[in-house]
Amino acid sequence: SSSSSSTSTNQNVVFFNEAYGSGFNLENSQINGGNLGLNLIGKNEDSLIAGVYLKNNIFNDAYFGRAHLSNTRNSEISGNTFSSNNASGSSSFGLDIIENKGFLGVFGNQIGSASGWPSNGIILDKCEGLPISPGVIYNNFIAVGDSTTVDAYGINAIESAFMNYINNSIAVNHASGLSAALELAGGGANRVINNILANFDGGYGLDYQETAGFPAFESDYNNIYSNVSAIARHKNNTFISINQWSGSIG
């Protein structure tokens, strides 16, 4: 299936809609083209797809996104490569996960391409781990954005809770002040440990706006860089150095 300049989700290489039950495995495969390489949609929040495994696959040359999952439970996405020769596009993404419940492991993936694709490396939307079994997003290498991108985020987590972000290397190349290597918008009880978060063309290395009522998040042993005045933001406060960030957040 060839890709186009559309953000429509109608052109998929692999497509499952209103799926439910347990056991979806995609391993050691190559998925080329399409506006979406993989589009896996669970039936609803009461009938989730349980046990989703994407391992050691190569996703190439989609315009819009490479892998989209929604309404899933206990998922692992590991060892995959997400790339495209297309331009970055304002909404393009490598991996998009909406409403995964329970365990989520995203590790050992490579996302990015010489063209600047995508504008979003990983999107987590309303994903919820558990206090005793938090999600783990670790050891991913992500490079996103170019000078034409409207907004760029290495990892963009929206209203997601009980997630650990560990040992990721993220680079953002983008001119907008709205961009961030790691954006945590809402949610809470998240840990950000030992990551490289670099924003080379404006915006923040780390931007965290947790929802009121959640425990304070943990940030430690991170290397955070931005080529503008503020490297990080927490709620309404901006920070210009690692020392200032450490003194306030710990």
Side-chain angles (χ1 to χ4, degrees), residues 103-106 124 129-140 155 160-168 182 184 188-193 195 218:
F103 178 76
L104 175 62
V106 180
L124 305 178
L130 299 170
I132 61 172
S133 181
V136 285
I137 316 300
Y138 69 96
N139 286 352
N140 298 288
I155 298 176
S160 295
F162 298 104
M163 295 287 167
N164 294 337
Y165 303 87
I166 302 172
N167 294 341
N168 299 288
L182 176 57
L184 304 178
N190 297 300
R191 302 173 67 234
V192 181
I193 308 294
N195 300 280
E218 179 183 351

Side-chain angles (χ1 to χ4, degrees), residues 9-153:
T9 59
N10 292 330
Q11 299 179 32
N12 309 284
V13 179
V14 180
F15 179 48
F16 291 87
N17 189 27
E18 294 192 354
Y20 62 94
S22 61
F24 178 90
N25 297 329
L26 181 64
E27 301 185 37
N28 303 312
S29 299
Q30 183 163 330
I31 309 297
N32 294 320
N35 283 331
L36 284 174
L38 169 65
N39 194 3
L40 177 62
I41 304 172
K43 186 173 182 179
N44 54 52
E45 61 182 16
D46 296 318
S47 298
L48 305 172
I49 310 170
V52 175
Y53 296 93
L54 307 182
K55 298 181 181 180
N56 303 320
N57 301 291
I58 297 173
F59 295 88
N60 282 327
D61 284 343
Y63 179 79
F64 183 35
R66 295 313 300 132
H68 167 80
L69 314 175
S70 65
N71 292 328
T72 57
R73 182 187 302 277
N74 299 334
S75 302
E76 178 185 318
I77 298 91
S78 62
N80 302 284
T81 299
F82 303 87
S83 64
S84 179
N85 291 321
N86 289 287
S88 62
S90 61
S91 302
S92 59
F93 59 83
L95 175 64
D96 179 26
I97 305 173
I98 300 176
E99 296 195 28
N100 183 87
K101 309 301 182 185
F103 178 76
L104 175 62
V106 180
F107 56 90
N109 301 287
Q110 297 186 44
I111 301 175
S113 59
S115 67
W117 182 98
S119 57
N120 298 276
I122 298 173
I123 301 172
L124 305 178
D125 190 349
K126 299 181 180 65
C127 293
E128 299 176 4
L130 299 170
I132 61 172
S133 181
V136 285
I137 316 300
Y138 69 96
N139 286 352
N140 298 288
F141 183 86
I142 302 170
V144 299
D146 61 20
S147 61
T148 67
T149 312
V150 176
D151 298 309
Y153 299 96

Side-chain angles (χ1 to χ4, degrees), residues 226-245:
S226 175
N227 67 346
V228 294
S229 59
I231 63 168
R233 181 173 66 164
H234 180 228
K235 295 187 176 179
N236 293 322
N237 300 312
T238 57
F239 302 87
I240 64 173
S241 69
I242 288 290
N243 287 338
Q244 188 184 46
W245 174 257

